[in-house]
Amino acid sequence: MERLVRYFTEGLENKPVASSVGVEVETSFVFVDSEGCRRPITVIQSQELLERFCRLRGWEATKHKGGLVTEISDGANRMSYELGRQNIELSTVPDISGFVAVSRAKRLVDDLAFAGSFSDDKSSCMLENQGPIVNTDEDLLIIPDERDAVWLELDGRPALELLARTSAVQFTISVPAKSVIECLNKLGEKIGSFLKDYPQEEYWRRYLKESKANYHPMRYGGPLFFNSIEDYCQKLIMHDAVVGPRLVPYDQVKDLDISLYLRSIWWYFRLRRYGNTLCIEVRPLPRRDSRKFQEQFDFVRSVLL
């Protein structure tokens, strides 16, 4: 546990709240079939969507797998598949201004939507899904990289496919190291406000229950209040590390990749470190209309200040 405590405490700058803000936005796309029904776009359509966006914005394909483009980027921001063939995740480069970071994310996802809808042929139009859940009986899962293949073997396809139907917004916000626990607890106090509009909650709970991995029940959501950074780390190491397609107790893992370990524990509000900056990743936010991004960020920021 001492290594985790050092990871979260040593060599950090006490930067003000929200002096660095990163944004992640997942967007699902649908098309209207010949019977007038909305259906999730196919793999072929999602490849066309990424290609159209590259032509529109001058981005380039940066990752491939099995003949598919799996990531595009402008050298700083990037887009990639997020489990679902119809679900494209934007990850923006952090900015010192929350307003600029959120505005950039909005502009890029709006451009992606424009790229999808811009066509003279209605059958080739791809539209943003209305809401954070894609309601369908189709299997949407796509495995674009080795990390996702590990989860597929660990969880089983039926459980992991549940998460392919969800789209979210996440903010990664810098916090002063000296007040990180206070910030986490402030967010924890407001969990009711977050979950009031978070349809993904049901899917995450089902995923945890239906996965064949037999996760600890607190691996998703997690505790909401902490006494200290040591208390945070103590609660963290209750959860096994993912080593290949199996779970291994934390204290039995040699050469633990801390960053990957943290990403595999899906607490509502989780600590992340980037260089000498300590951040909180705020996760329980639904993907709504892009015009709501600023409102969502302002709410999170108001809780932290």
Side-chain angles (χ1 to χ4, degrees):
M1 188 183 83
E2 291 76 12
R3 184 184 171 197
L4 274 177
V5 173
R6 292 196 302 271
Y7 181 83
F8 286 129
T9 57
E10 293 183 356
L12 296 171
E13 292 185 18
N14 267 307
K15 297 183 178 180
V17 170
S19 60
S20 175
V21 177
V23 185
E24 294 183 3
V25 179
E26 298 163 359
T27 306
S28 284
F29 286 85
V30 297
F31 73 100
V32 180
D33 66 16
S34 59
E35 297 180 354
C37 298
R38 290 191 170 213
R39 296 177 53 197
I41 61 173
T42 65
V43 173
I44 292 174
Q45 288 173 311
S46 63
Q47 289 286 288
E48 172 66 18
L49 176 61
L50 295 177
E51 182 181 335
R52 288 186 194 177
F53 184 84
C54 285
R55 291 200 303 266
L56 176 69
R57 296 285 306 197
W59 286 31
E60 296 182 352
T62 47
K63 288 185 180 179
H64 300 77
K65 182 183 179 184
L68 298 177
V69 173
T70 58
E71 181 186 275
I72 60 175
S73 175
D74 63 356
N77 310 289
R78 67 182 189 275
M79 292 184 185
S80 58
Y81 287 102
E82 179 56 28
L83 289 178
R85 71 184 192 225
Q86 85 301 336
N87 196 18
I88 305 299
E89 180 184 62
L90 164 70
S91 298
T92 68
V93 64
D95 200 280
I96 60 173
S97 165
F99 176 79
V100 171
V102 174
S103 297
R104 179 187 297 120
K106 180 182 184 304
R107 183 177 67 254
L108 289 172
V109 297
D110 286 349
D111 284 351
L112 183 65
F114 176 77
S117 63
F118 186 72
S119 175
D120 294 331
D121 181 2
K122 289 185 178 181
S123 65
S124 64
C125 285
M126 292 169 270
L127 310 171
E128 284 186 319
N129 183 56
Q130 302 298 311
I133 305 295
V134 174
N135 295 308
T136 182
D137 293 329
E138 298 181 44
D139 186 330
L140 303 178
L141 195 62
I142 188 171
I143 305 299
D145 58 35
E146 184 178 346
R147 181 174 63 91
D148 288 337
V150 167
W151 291 108
L152 178 61
E153 187 171 351
L154 181 63
D155 291 318
R157 191 174 189 94
L160 191 59
E161 197 275 333
L162 289 168
L163 299 184
R165 307 180 190 189
T166 68
S167 299
V169 174
Q170 297 175 9
F171 299 115
T172 300
I173 301 175
S174 64
V175 291
K178 62 182 180 182
S179 57
V180 63
I181 297 302
E182 178 186 356
C183 290
L184 284 169
N185 291 342
K186 284 180 177 180
L187 290 165
E189 289 174 358
K190 292 291 186 179
I191 191 59
S193 298
F194 283 97
L195 297 186
K196 186 165 54 177
D197 181 25
Y198 190 59
Q200 296 97 307
E201 176 78 2
E202 175 189 351
Y203 285 75
W204 274 100
R205 294 297 177 189
R206 283 183 58 193
Y207 162 71
L208 211 68
K209 183 178 180 180
E210 296 178 20
S211 169
K212 65 181 185 180
N214 193 30
Y215 295 118
H216 188 289
M218 294 290 282
R219 195 177 188 103
Y220 168 73
L224 297 174
F225 304 104
F226 307 93
N227 298 320
S228 63
I229 198 68
E230 290 79 9
D231 182 42
Y232 182 93
C233 293
Q234 187 65 53
K235 290 172 178 173
L236 199 61
I237 64 173
M238 294 168 54
H239 303 287
D240 297 339
V242 177
V243 180
R246 62 193 183 97
L247 296 176
V248 178
Y250 171 84
D251 58 5
Q252 295 180 21
V253 179
K254 296 181 180 179
D255 302 319
L256 178 71
D257 186 321
I258 292 180
S259 181
L260 287 178
Y261 177 64
L262 299 177
R263 287 171 59 188
S264 74
I265 300 170
W266 312 290
W267 290 356
Y268 296 128
F269 315 110
R270 61 186 184 185
L271 293 184
R272 302 296 300 275
R273 176 174 178 161
Y274 297 95
N276 58 6
T277 302
L278 192 60
C279 302
I280 297 177
E281 186 179 86
V282 179
R283 295 168 51 80
L285 295 165
R287 172 63 160 99
R288 299 293 184 189
D289 189 288
S290 64
R291 290 172 292 186
K292 288 187 66 71
F293 293 170
Q294 190 64 52
E295 178 184 329
Q296 290 174 311
F297 175 74
D298 289 345
F299 169 68
V300 173
R301 189 173 183 274
S302 71
V303 173
L304 290 171
L305 293 179

